[in-house]
Amino acid sequence: METAAMVWTAAVAAVGLIYWFVWVMGAAEVKGKRAVDLKMGSITRDKVEDKYRQYWSFFRRPKETAEASSENVPVFVDTFYNLVTDIYEWGWGQSFHFSPSIPGRSHRDATRLHEERVVDLVGARPGHRVLDVGCGVGGPMRAIAARSGAHVVGITINEYQVGRARAHNKKSGLDALCEVVCGNFLEMPFPDSSFDGAYSIEATCHAPRLEDVYAEIFRVLKPGALYVSYEWVTTALYRADDPDHVETIHGIERGDALPGLRAHDEIASIARKVGFEVLDERDLARPPAGPWWTRLKMGRIAYWRNHILVSVLTLLRIAPKGVVEVHEMLYETARHLTRGGETGIFTPMDMILCRKPPFAAGHQESSSS
Ligand SMILES: C=C(CC[C@@H](C)[C@H]1CC[C@H]2C3=CC[C@H]4[C@H](C)[C@@H](O)CC[C@]4(C)[C@H]3CC[C@]12C)C(C)C
Ligand SMILES: C[S@@+](CC[C@H](N)C(=O)[O-])C[C@H]1O[C@@H](n2cnc3c(N)ncnc32)[C@H](O)[C@@H]1O
């Protein structure tokens, strides 16, 4: 073969390979969000590295951060979701939470079943207005609205997620039942007693003080309405004097924008303090539930593929500088989360079911006010 022909063949093969690697393999979990579409939320390209550094210096020592400047937590949580939302959608899907694995069923099915459980727990039905506290890009909201026929209103602090969630709602034909509002769940823009039910899936862990968000939820619920939450907590197996345990929990907090994980036995008393009756509390991760962390572990090869992919895309200037660092942070977090699951010292699904008493007055003040 002539040299020119060889060069051409090699060039065509290289282009084909890059196309396959980036466009075909790059559309990881859910087709529709590809590696080439990775933006960093509402952060402009040139600011991504800086924003990541700011995030990292704020959340490097989570507990101290929360105590020193808890009023800044929502701002940095918003920065965090600008940095990770597209990577989450690309590598995980539209539901930003874990679920127990179910033998013989796909991750997608397991996720949906974990979400639909909320419908039964809060008794959502057509005609109801249900609040989704910390709604992400709306994966759970769409599953819950579709299953129950209720009108679901989601709130998220991150403007970029609002746009993503509205686009997904429209695309799935659920926009008449699903509404998304940008706001802080510590000061919600809703009138007292305006919801028939509420839920939060792996979101209230971002609140510096759980009583503040619970008090807000209590305020906006109608008397007699139910609220269910899947909380991130340390379990009874966690030992504060075991350096391995402490490192795992700090690793989870640093890489997930958490101002300090709470212990499992703190949740119910906080709910009662703001006025709720606690009807049930259970760790949904306990056997016979299948392990929630296997989905993270089984993807190790995929992580390496993704790492190479984001590095190549950054080199080609398709992805903004800083994405590789964010991706590495998530990889580290996945390691700590897996360790938390395997040792049993951490659960992302401590379920608490509460009711606002039928004859409750309006807003219960949180302890600081
Ligand atoms: C509830 C929260 C988020 C929970 C999970 C949805 C996310 C926690 C860690 C995330 C991930 C870790 C590794 C990433 C991987 C390196 C990348 O290649 C593809 C995406 C990941 C799998 C990513 C996906 C989402 C998580 C599992 C918190 C924030 C309260
Ligand atoms: C891990 S995501 C879970 C999203 C969604 N529940 C799901 O399961 O897909 C946490 C969500 O909480 C939201 N959040 C965190 N702090 C918030 C705050 N102070 N006010 C409003 N939303 C907040 C984030 O913006 C994000 O949407």
Side-chain angles (χ1 to χ4, degrees):
M1 203 190 281
E2 276 179 34
T3 322
M6 275 169 67
V7 169
W8 270 109
T9 313
V12 170
V15 169
L17 196 69
I18 292 175
Y19 175 84
W20 172 76
F21 195 66
V22 173
W23 273 270
V24 181
M25 289 186 66
E29 269 296 308
V30 171
K31 301 276 180 279
K33 175 55 75 179
R34 289 181 302 217
V36 279
D37 302 326
L38 288 183
K39 287 195 216 75
M40 292 285 113
S42 352
I43 305 175
T44 52
R45 282 178 74 88
D46 54 322
K47 298 272 174 359
V48 171
E49 252 182 328
D50 257 19
K51 285 287 178 190
Y52 170 69
R53 282 203 196 104
Q54 286 169 18
Y55 166 80
W56 190 246
S57 56
F58 188 80
F59 270 105
R60 204 178 37 211
R61 288 185 296 275
K63 276 233 157 80
E64 291 163 37
T65 299
E67 275 149 27
S69 51
S70 64
E71 73 280 4
N72 292 330
V73 168
V75 174
F76 284 93
V77 168
D78 180 32
T79 300
F80 173 79
Y81 281 105
N82 276 324
L83 295 170
V84 305
T85 293
D86 277 350
I87 303 184
Y88 276 19
E89 270 202 59
W90 163 58
W92 200 255
Q94 294 171 15
S95 294
F96 297 174
H97 63 80
F98 295 103
S99 39
S101 56
I102 308 174
R105 303 290 288 267
S106 65
H107 295 312
R108 195 185 281 248
D109 280 356
T111 303
R112 189 179 37 80
L113 289 169
H114 195 55
E115 294 167 348
E116 287 178 355
R117 204 167 185 162
V118 166
V119 173
D120 301 329
L121 287 164
V122 302
R125 55 175 191 265
H128 271 184
R129 207 170 118 85
V130 175
L131 175 64
D132 180 335
V133 183
C135 64
V137 299
M141 155 193 287
R142 285 181 288 282
I144 289 161
R147 172 84 179 170
S148 65
H151 185 96
V152 184
V153 181
I155 182 166
T156 167
I157 194 134
N158 185 259
E159 184 86 55
Y160 181 70
Q161 290 188 339
V162 173
R164 295 291 303 159
R166 285 183 184 155
H168 291 310
N169 290 347
K170 198 152 189 212
K171 200 165 170 197
S172 58
L174 285 162
D175 49 334
L177 281 185
C178 297
E179 193 182 323
V180 191
V181 171
C182 192
N184 186 348
F185 58 39
L186 302 170
E187 301 164 66
M188 291 196 272
F190 306 120
D192 295 357
S193 308
S194 50
F195 288 95
D196 302 287
Y199 65 90
S200 50
I201 302 187
E202 303 187 23
T204 50
C205 48
H206 288 297
R209 289 162 27 86
L210 190 63
E211 40 276 59
D212 293 345
V213 56
Y214 276 13
E216 266 300 84
I217 296 165
F218 185 92
R219 177 183 70 78
V220 301
L221 281 178
K222 293 180 182 169
L226 296 169
Y227 165 57
V228 68
S229 186
Y230 295 168
E231 292 289 340
W232 277 34
V233 294
T234 56
T235 69
L237 294 176
Y238 173 70
R239 296 273 163 271
D241 56 0
D242 182 328
D244 277 353
H245 286 191
V246 173
E247 179 44 27
T248 299
I249 296 305
H250 279 174
I252 293 173
E253 292 167 344
R254 280 196 295 268
D256 291 291
L258 305 180
L261 271 169
R262 286 167 268 271
H264 69 106
D265 54 2
E266 291 177 63
I267 309 298
S269 54
I270 295 174
R272 287 193 190 99
K273 192 157 118 194
V274 305
F276 279 119
E277 292 167 7
V278 175
L279 305 182
D280 194 5
E281 190 183 8
R282 243 171 322 136
D283 179 2
L284 300 179
R286 291 181 71 120
W292 54 266
W293 60 91
T294 45
R295 183 177 174 191
L296 273 177
K297 237 180 111 173
M298 277 156 42
R300 207 149 276 184
I301 295 167
Y303 293 159
W304 278 109
R305 178 204 66 195
N306 289 356
H307 176 74
I308 296 168
L309 203 49
V310 290
S311 306
V312 171
L313 289 171
T314 310
L315 235 125
L316 296 175
R317 295 174 186 253
I318 295 174
K321 258 172 118 183
V323 174
V324 176
E325 285 83 347
V326 175
H327 190 259
E328 266 163 16
M329 174 188 79
L330 293 181
Y331 178 73
E332 266 303 292
T333 309
R335 238 176 26 82
H336 290 294
L337 284 163
T338 305
R339 181 105 187 104
E342 284 175 342
T343 52
I345 63 170
F346 163 77
T347 177
M349 50 190 79
D350 186 69
M351 184 278 286
I352 181 157
L353 178 64
C354 308
R355 181 167 59 176
K356 178 165 174 173
F359 305 107
H363 186 189
Q364 293 279 310
E365 296 299 331
S366 71
S367 61
S368 68
S369 19

Short mmCIF file of all heavy atoms in Angstrom, two decimals, residues 93-120:
data_model
loop_
_atom_site.label_atom_id
_atom_site.label_comp_id
_atom_site.label_asym_id
_atom_site.label_seq_id
_atom_site.Cartn_x
_atom_site.Cartn_y
_atom_site.Cartn_z
N GLY A 93 -27.88 8.70 35.67
CA GLY A 93 -29.27 8.80 35.22
C GLY A 93 -29.95 10.02 35.81
O GLY A 93 -29.29 10.90 36.36
N GLN A 94 -31.28 10.06 35.71
CA GLN A 94 -32.01 11.27 36.14
C GLN A 94 -32.45 11.23 37.61
O GLN A 94 -33.06 12.16 38.10
CB GLN A 94 -33.23 11.46 35.23
CG GLN A 94 -32.83 11.78 33.80
CD GLN A 94 -34.00 11.77 32.84
OE1 GLN A 94 -35.17 11.80 33.26
NE2 GLN A 94 -33.71 11.73 31.56
N SER A 95 -32.18 10.13 38.30
CA SER A 95 -32.51 10.02 39.72
C SER A 95 -31.21 10.03 40.51
O SER A 95 -30.42 9.10 40.38
CB SER A 95 -33.27 8.73 39.99
OG SER A 95 -34.53 8.77 39.36
N PHE A 96 -31.00 11.07 41.30
CA PHE A 96 -29.73 11.24 42.02
C PHE A 96 -29.81 10.61 43.41
O PHE A 96 -29.73 11.32 44.43
CB PHE A 96 -29.38 12.73 42.13
CG PHE A 96 -29.16 13.42 40.81
CD1 PHE A 96 -28.96 14.80 40.77
CD2 PHE A 96 -29.11 12.73 39.60
CE1 PHE A 96 -28.73 15.46 39.57
CE2 PHE A 96 -28.89 13.38 38.40
CZ PHE A 96 -28.70 14.75 38.39
N HIS A 97 -30.01 9.31 43.46
CA HIS A 97 -30.07 8.63 44.75
C HIS A 97 -29.73 7.17 44.57
O HIS A 97 -29.58 6.68 43.45
CB HIS A 97 -31.46 8.80 45.39
CG HIS A 97 -32.56 8.18 44.58
ND1 HIS A 97 -32.85 6.83 44.60
CD2 HIS A 97 -33.43 8.72 43.70
CE1 HIS A 97 -33.86 6.58 43.79
NE2 HIS A 97 -34.23 7.70 43.22
N PHE A 98 -29.61 6.45 45.69
CA PHE A 98 -29.34 5.01 45.66
C PHE A 98 -30.66 4.25 45.85
O PHE A 98 -31.68 4.85 46.22
CB PHE A 98 -28.35 4.64 46.78
CG PHE A 98 -26.99 5.25 46.57
CD1 PHE A 98 -26.58 6.36 47.30
CD2 PHE A 98 -26.13 4.72 45.62
CE1 PHE A 98 -25.33 6.93 47.09
CE2 PHE A 98 -24.88 5.28 45.40
CZ PHE A 98 -24.48 6.39 46.15
N SER A 99 -30.59 2.95 45.63
CA SER A 99 -31.75 2.10 45.93
C SER A 99 -31.24 0.69 46.20
O SER A 99 -30.18 0.32 45.68
CB SER A 99 -32.76 2.10 44.78
OG SER A 99 -32.08 2.08 43.56
N PRO A 100 -31.96 -0.11 47.00
CA PRO A 100 -31.51 -1.48 47.23
C PRO A 100 -31.48 -2.23 45.89
O PRO A 100 -32.38 -2.04 45.07
CB PRO A 100 -32.58 -2.07 48.15
CG PRO A 100 -33.34 -0.91 48.69
CD PRO A 100 -33.24 0.18 47.67
N SER A 101 -30.45 -3.06 45.68
CA SER A 101 -30.43 -3.82 44.43
C SER A 101 -31.45 -4.97 44.53
O SER A 101 -31.73 -5.46 45.64
CB SER A 101 -29.03 -4.36 44.15
OG SER A 101 -28.59 -5.12 45.23
N ILE A 102 -32.01 -5.34 43.39
CA ILE A 102 -33.02 -6.42 43.38
C ILE A 102 -32.53 -7.49 42.41
O ILE A 102 -32.36 -7.18 41.22
CB ILE A 102 -34.41 -5.89 42.95
CG1 ILE A 102 -34.81 -4.68 43.80
CG2 ILE A 102 -35.46 -6.99 43.03
CD1 ILE A 102 -36.10 -4.01 43.36
N PRO A 103 -32.28 -8.73 42.90
CA PRO A 103 -31.76 -9.77 42.00
C PRO A 103 -32.65 -9.93 40.77
O PRO A 103 -33.89 -9.97 40.89
CB PRO A 103 -31.79 -11.04 42.87
CG PRO A 103 -31.85 -10.54 44.28
CD PRO A 103 -32.52 -9.21 44.26
N GLY A 104 -32.01 -9.98 39.61
CA GLY A 104 -32.75 -10.19 38.36
C GLY A 104 -33.42 -8.95 37.80
O GLY A 104 -34.05 -9.01 36.75
N ARG A 105 -33.34 -7.83 38.51
CA ARG A 105 -33.96 -6.58 37.99
C ARG A 105 -32.88 -5.56 37.68
O ARG A 105 -31.81 -5.55 38.30
CB ARG A 105 -34.93 -5.98 39.03
CG ARG A 105 -36.03 -6.91 39.49
CD ARG A 105 -37.07 -7.17 38.40
NE ARG A 105 -37.93 -6.03 38.14
CZ ARG A 105 -39.11 -5.84 38.72
NH1 ARG A 105 -39.57 -6.72 39.60
NH2 ARG A 105 -39.84 -4.79 38.42
N SER A 106 -33.16 -4.69 36.74
CA SER A 106 -32.17 -3.68 36.33
C SER A 106 -32.09 -2.57 37.39
O SER A 106 -32.98 -2.42 38.23
CB SER A 106 -32.60 -3.07 35.01
OG SER A 106 -33.82 -2.38 35.19
N HIS A 107 -31.01 -1.75 37.30
CA HIS A 107 -30.89 -0.59 38.20
C HIS A 107 -32.07 0.35 37.99
O HIS A 107 -32.60 0.94 38.94
CB HIS A 107 -29.61 0.19 37.89
CG HIS A 107 -28.36 -0.57 38.17
ND1 HIS A 107 -28.16 -1.25 39.35
CD2 HIS A 107 -27.24 -0.76 37.44
CE1 HIS A 107 -26.98 -1.83 39.31
NE2 HIS A 107 -26.41 -1.56 38.17
N ARG A 108 -32.49 0.47 36.74
CA ARG A 108 -33.59 1.37 36.42
C ARG A 108 -34.87 0.94 37.16
O ARG A 108 -35.57 1.76 37.75
CB ARG A 108 -33.82 1.36 34.91
CG ARG A 108 -34.67 2.49 34.40
CD ARG A 108 -34.91 2.28 32.93
NE ARG A 108 -33.77 2.69 32.16
CZ ARG A 108 -33.78 3.75 31.34
NH1 ARG A 108 -34.88 4.44 31.18
NH2 ARG A 108 -32.72 4.08 30.66
N ASP A 109 -35.15 -0.38 37.14
CA ASP A 109 -36.34 -0.90 37.84
C ASP A 109 -36.22 -0.68 39.35
O ASP A 109 -37.18 -0.29 40.01
CB ASP A 109 -36.49 -2.40 37.58
CG ASP A 109 -37.11 -2.68 36.22
OD1 ASP A 109 -37.48 -1.70 35.54
OD2 ASP A 109 -37.21 -3.87 35.85
N ALA A 110 -35.01 -1.00 39.88
CA ALA A 110 -34.81 -0.88 41.33
C ALA A 110 -35.00 0.57 41.77
O ALA A 110 -35.62 0.86 42.80
CB ALA A 110 -33.41 -1.37 41.70
N THR A 111 -34.51 1.50 40.94
CA THR A 111 -34.64 2.93 41.24
C THR A 111 -36.12 3.33 41.27
O THR A 111 -36.60 3.98 42.20
CB THR A 111 -33.90 3.76 40.15
OG1 THR A 111 -32.54 3.34 40.12
CG2 THR A 111 -33.98 5.24 40.42
N ARG A 112 -36.83 2.90 40.24
CA ARG A 112 -38.25 3.27 40.13
C ARG A 112 -39.06 2.71 41.31
O ARG A 112 -39.87 3.41 41.92
CB ARG A 112 -38.82 2.76 38.79
CG ARG A 112 -40.22 3.27 38.48
CD ARG A 112 -40.73 2.74 37.14
NE ARG A 112 -40.34 1.38 36.83
CZ ARG A 112 -40.93 0.28 37.31
NH1 ARG A 112 -41.95 0.39 38.13
NH2 ARG A 112 -40.49 -0.93 36.97
N LEU A 113 -38.79 1.46 41.68
CA LEU A 113 -39.54 0.85 42.79
C LEU A 113 -39.28 1.59 44.11
O LEU A 113 -40.18 1.79 44.92
CB LEU A 113 -39.18 -0.63 42.93
CG LEU A 113 -39.72 -1.51 41.78
CD1 LEU A 113 -39.11 -2.90 41.82
CD2 LEU A 113 -41.25 -1.59 41.86
N HIS A 114 -38.01 2.01 44.31
CA HIS A 114 -37.65 2.75 45.52
C HIS A 114 -38.40 4.09 45.56
O HIS A 114 -38.82 4.56 46.61
CB HIS A 114 -36.13 2.98 45.49
CG HIS A 114 -35.53 3.42 46.79
ND1 HIS A 114 -35.69 2.72 47.97
CD2 HIS A 114 -34.73 4.49 47.09
CE1 HIS A 114 -35.02 3.34 48.93
NE2 HIS A 114 -34.44 4.41 48.42
N GLU A 115 -38.58 4.68 44.39
CA GLU A 115 -39.30 5.96 44.30
C GLU A 115 -40.81 5.75 44.49
O GLU A 115 -41.47 6.50 45.21
CB GLU A 115 -39.02 6.61 42.94
CG GLU A 115 -37.56 7.02 42.80
CD GLU A 115 -37.13 7.39 41.37
OE1 GLU A 115 -37.87 7.15 40.42
OE2 GLU A 115 -36.01 7.92 41.24
N GLU A 116 -41.33 4.69 43.85
CA GLU A 116 -42.78 4.47 43.92
C GLU A 116 -43.25 4.10 45.33
O GLU A 116 -44.42 4.29 45.67
CB GLU A 116 -43.18 3.38 42.92
CG GLU A 116 -43.12 3.89 41.49
CD GLU A 116 -43.46 2.83 40.45
OE1 GLU A 116 -43.67 1.65 40.82
OE2 GLU A 116 -43.50 3.17 39.26
N ARG A 117 -42.33 3.63 46.13
CA ARG A 117 -42.65 3.32 47.54
C ARG A 117 -43.21 4.57 48.24
O ARG A 117 -44.06 4.49 49.13
CB ARG A 117 -41.33 2.92 48.19
CG ARG A 117 -41.41 2.08 49.38
CD ARG A 117 -40.03 1.54 49.66
NE ARG A 117 -40.10 0.61 50.76
CZ ARG A 117 -39.16 -0.28 51.02
NH1 ARG A 117 -38.09 -0.38 50.28
NH2 ARG A 117 -39.29 -1.09 52.04
N VAL A 118 -42.70 5.74 47.82
CA VAL A 118 -43.13 7.02 48.40
C VAL A 118 -44.62 7.23 48.19
O VAL A 118 -45.32 7.76 49.06
CB VAL A 118 -42.30 8.17 47.75
CG1 VAL A 118 -42.90 9.53 48.04
CG2 VAL A 118 -40.85 8.10 48.19
N VAL A 119 -45.13 6.80 47.03
CA VAL A 119 -46.55 7.01 46.71
C VAL A 119 -47.42 6.34 47.78
O VAL A 119 -48.36 6.95 48.32
CB VAL A 119 -46.87 6.41 45.31
CG1 VAL A 119 -48.36 6.46 45.02
CG2 VAL A 119 -46.08 7.14 44.24
N ASP A 120 -47.08 5.09 48.12
CA ASP A 120 -47.86 4.37 49.13
C ASP A 120 -47.64 4.98 50.51
O ASP A 120 -48.58 5.12 51.29
CB ASP A 120 -47.45 2.88 49.16
CG ASP A 120 -47.67 2.23 47.80
OD1 ASP A 120 -48.61 2.66 47.10
OD2 ASP A 120 -46.90 1.32 47.44
#
